[in-house]
Amino acid sequence: MSLAEPRSVTSPPGALARSPSLTSDAAPAVASFAISARWTVLALGALALAALLIQGGLFTHKTWLWTGDTIYHRAVMAEIQAGELLPGGPYAGLPAFYSPLFHYMAAAIGSLARIELTEAIRVISIVFAPLTPLAAYWLARVLGLDRASALVGAFFSTFAGAIKATEDR
Protein backbone atom coordinates (compact mmCIF):
# COMPACT_ATOMS: atom_id res chain seq x y z
CA MET A 1 0.00 0.00 0.00
CA SER A 2 1.45 3.31 -1.07
CA LEU A 3 1.43 6.30 1.26
CA ALA A 4 -0.19 8.37 -1.49
CA GLU A 5 -3.11 5.99 -2.05
CA PRO A 6 -6.47 6.53 -0.35
CA ARG A 7 -7.33 4.32 2.55
CA SER A 8 -11.10 4.18 2.22
CA VAL A 9 -12.41 6.20 -0.74
CA THR A 10 -11.93 4.73 -4.20
CA SER A 11 -13.37 5.50 -7.60
CA PRO A 12 -13.22 3.75 -10.95
CA PRO A 13 -10.33 4.82 -13.21
CA GLY A 14 -11.09 7.99 -15.19
CA ALA A 15 -14.18 8.87 -13.15
CA LEU A 16 -14.54 12.38 -11.74
CA ALA A 17 -17.05 11.35 -9.07
CA ARG A 18 -18.14 8.08 -7.56
CA SER A 19 -21.74 7.17 -8.18
CA PRO A 20 -24.05 6.59 -5.24
CA SER A 21 -24.53 3.02 -4.16
CA LEU A 22 -26.65 1.11 -1.71
CA THR A 23 -24.76 -0.52 1.09
CA SER A 24 -27.71 -2.69 2.12
CA ASP A 25 -31.41 -3.01 1.36
CA ALA A 26 -32.41 -1.09 4.50
CA ALA A 27 -29.89 1.73 4.18
CA PRO A 28 -30.54 4.73 1.91
CA ALA A 29 -28.16 5.56 -0.92
CA VAL A 30 -25.20 7.65 0.18
CA ALA A 31 -23.32 9.72 -2.36
CA SER A 32 -19.65 10.37 -1.84
CA PHE A 33 -17.49 12.72 -3.89
CA ALA A 34 -14.09 11.44 -4.90
CA ILE A 35 -11.72 12.98 -7.41
CA SER A 36 -9.89 10.69 -9.82
CA ALA A 37 -6.12 10.43 -9.80
CA ARG A 38 -5.90 12.20 -13.18
CA TRP A 39 -7.88 15.22 -11.98
CA THR A 40 -5.89 15.28 -8.76
CA VAL A 41 -2.57 15.40 -10.62
CA LEU A 42 -3.87 18.18 -12.90
CA ALA A 43 -5.20 20.24 -9.98
CA LEU A 44 -2.05 19.71 -7.92
CA GLY A 45 0.14 20.66 -10.90
CA ALA A 46 -1.89 23.83 -11.48
CA LEU A 47 -1.64 24.68 -7.78
CA ALA A 48 2.15 24.16 -7.76
CA LEU A 49 2.49 26.30 -10.91
CA ALA A 50 0.35 29.07 -9.38
CA ALA A 51 2.46 28.92 -6.22
CA LEU A 52 5.63 29.21 -8.29
CA LEU A 53 4.37 32.19 -10.25
CA ILE A 54 2.58 34.05 -7.44
CA GLN A 55 4.26 33.11 -4.16
CA GLY A 56 7.66 32.17 -5.58
CA GLY A 57 8.07 35.43 -7.43
CA LEU A 58 9.56 33.80 -10.51
CA PHE A 59 8.65 36.69 -12.82
CA THR A 60 7.93 39.41 -10.26
CA HIS A 61 10.38 41.37 -8.16
CA LYS A 62 9.51 41.24 -4.48
CA THR A 63 9.82 44.79 -3.27
CA TRP A 64 9.03 43.79 0.29
CA LEU A 65 12.42 42.06 0.67
CA TRP A 66 13.78 45.13 2.45
CA THR A 67 10.95 45.63 4.91
CA GLY A 68 10.21 44.35 8.38
CA ASP A 69 12.11 41.33 9.64
CA THR A 70 13.90 40.74 6.35
CA ILE A 71 16.48 43.37 7.29
CA TYR A 72 17.17 41.44 10.50
CA HIS A 73 17.35 38.11 8.63
CA ARG A 74 19.80 39.50 6.11
CA ALA A 75 22.05 40.69 8.93
CA VAL A 76 22.01 37.21 10.52
CA MET A 77 22.85 35.66 7.13
CA ALA A 78 25.75 38.09 6.72
CA GLU A 79 27.07 36.96 10.12
CA ILE A 80 26.93 33.33 8.98
CA GLN A 81 28.77 34.20 5.76
CA ALA A 82 31.39 36.01 7.83
CA GLY A 83 32.10 32.76 9.70
CA GLU A 84 29.92 32.94 12.80
CA LEU A 85 28.23 29.52 12.66
CA LEU A 86 25.99 30.10 15.66
CA PRO A 87 24.84 33.65 15.06
CA GLY A 88 23.88 35.58 18.15
CA GLY A 89 21.94 38.19 16.25
CA PRO A 90 23.08 41.33 14.48
CA TYR A 91 22.31 43.63 17.40
CA ALA A 92 24.46 43.68 20.53
CA GLY A 93 22.61 42.12 23.45
CA LEU A 94 19.62 41.00 21.33
CA PRO A 95 19.73 37.25 20.72
CA ALA A 96 18.48 35.65 17.50
CA PHE A 97 14.91 34.45 18.06
CA TYR A 98 14.53 32.54 14.79
CA SER A 99 15.60 29.03 13.90
CA PRO A 100 18.77 29.43 11.84
CA LEU A 101 17.94 26.85 9.11
CA PHE A 102 16.65 29.51 6.71
CA HIS A 103 19.68 31.67 7.43
CA TYR A 104 22.10 28.77 6.87
CA MET A 105 20.38 27.85 3.59
CA ALA A 106 20.42 31.39 2.24
CA ALA A 107 24.02 31.98 3.35
CA ALA A 108 25.14 28.69 1.74
CA ILE A 109 23.31 29.41 -1.52
CA GLY A 110 24.70 32.95 -1.58
CA SER A 111 28.26 31.72 -0.98
CA LEU A 112 28.13 28.77 -3.37
CA ALA A 113 26.43 30.62 -6.22
CA ARG A 114 28.27 33.87 -5.44
CA ILE A 115 25.06 35.87 -5.40
CA GLU A 116 23.73 38.55 -3.05
CA LEU A 117 21.82 37.30 -0.01
CA THR A 118 18.56 38.82 -1.22
CA GLU A 119 18.93 36.82 -4.44
CA ALA A 120 19.58 33.70 -2.35
CA ILE A 121 16.30 34.38 -0.52
CA ARG A 122 14.62 34.64 -3.92
CA VAL A 123 16.11 31.28 -4.99
CA ILE A 124 14.78 29.64 -1.82
CA SER A 125 11.37 31.20 -2.44
CA ILE A 126 11.29 29.98 -6.05
CA VAL A 127 12.32 26.44 -5.06
CA PHE A 128 10.06 26.00 -2.04
CA ALA A 129 6.90 27.77 -3.26
CA PRO A 130 5.80 24.92 -5.56
CA LEU A 131 6.93 22.33 -3.01
CA THR A 132 4.59 23.70 -0.34
CA PRO A 133 1.30 22.47 -1.89
CA LEU A 134 2.91 19.15 -2.83
CA ALA A 135 4.12 18.58 0.74
CA ALA A 136 0.76 19.62 2.21
CA TYR A 137 -1.10 17.27 -0.16
CA TRP A 138 1.23 14.38 0.65
CA LEU A 139 0.89 14.97 4.40
CA ALA A 140 -2.91 15.09 4.17
CA ARG A 141 -2.96 11.81 2.24
CA VAL A 142 -0.62 10.15 4.74
CA LEU A 143 -2.95 11.27 7.52
CA GLY A 144 -5.81 9.51 5.72
CA LEU A 145 -7.71 12.34 4.03
CA ASP A 146 -9.33 11.80 0.65
CA ARG A 147 -7.99 13.51 -2.49
CA ALA A 148 -10.49 16.38 -2.50
CA SER A 149 -9.82 17.29 1.13
CA ALA A 150 -6.07 17.02 0.59
CA LEU A 151 -6.31 19.41 -2.39
CA VAL A 152 -8.27 21.95 -0.34
CA GLY A 153 -5.65 21.68 2.40
CA ALA A 154 -2.84 22.12 -0.14
CA PHE A 155 -4.52 25.25 -1.50
CA PHE A 156 -4.97 26.86 1.92
CA SER A 157 -1.48 25.92 3.08
CA THR A 158 -0.12 27.77 0.05
CA PHE A 159 -2.47 30.73 -0.24
CA ALA A 160 -3.82 31.08 3.31
CA GLY A 161 -2.87 34.75 3.44
CA ALA A 162 -4.80 35.31 0.21
CA ILE A 163 -3.26 35.95 -3.15
CA LYS A 164 -1.68 39.32 -2.65
CA ALA A 165 1.46 40.44 -4.41
CA THR A 166 1.71 44.06 -3.25
CA GLU A 167 4.40 45.58 -1.06
CA ASP A 168 2.34 45.55 2.12
CA ARG A 169 1.74 41.82 2.06
Side-chain angles (χ1 to χ4, degrees):
M1 179 174 164
S2 169
L3 291 177
E5 288 300 314
R7 297 181 184 192
S8 62
V9 178
T10 58
S11 61
L16 181 57
R18 195 169 79 176
S19 60
S21 62
L22 289 176
T23 55
S24 69
D25 292 336
V30 176
S32 142
F33 184 77
I35 298 175
S36 71
R38 179 179 299 138
W39 284 103
T40 302
V41 168
L42 287 173
L44 202 53
L47 185 57
L49 181 63
L52 174 65
L53 297 175
I54 297 169
Q55 301 287 40
L58 185 59
F59 297 114
T60 58
H61 180 67
K62 294 182 174 185
T63 57
W64 50 265
L65 274 176
W66 285 108
T67 61
D69 283 353
T70 311
I71 297 168
Y72 172 83
H73 292 300
R74 197 224 178 271
V76 172
M77 291 174 217
E79 282 186 350
I80 293 170
Q81 278 188 330
E84 189 176 336
L85 294 180
L86 293 172
Y91 307 112
L94 181 64
F97 291 107
Y98 298 96
S99 171
L101 179 62
F102 173 69
H103 304 107
Y104 289 139
M105 286 175 50
I109 290 170
S111 294
L112 293 173
R114 300 196 187 286
I115 57 177
E116 177 61 36
L117 288 172
T118 53
E119 287 301 310
I121 294 170
R122 187 167 183 252
V123 168
I124 291 172
S125 182
I126 289 170
V127 169
F128 281 95
L131 294 179
T132 300
L134 301 177
Y137 177 82
W138 177 80
L139 179 61
R141 294 294 290 171
V142 167
L143 293 175
L145 295 173
D146 61 297
R147 289 181 185 126
S149 300
L151 281 172
V152 170
F155 176 82
F156 284 115
S157 72
T158 306
F159 298 113
I163 300 173
K164 187 175 182 184
T166 59
E167 272 187 55
D168 61 339
R169 106 182 247 262

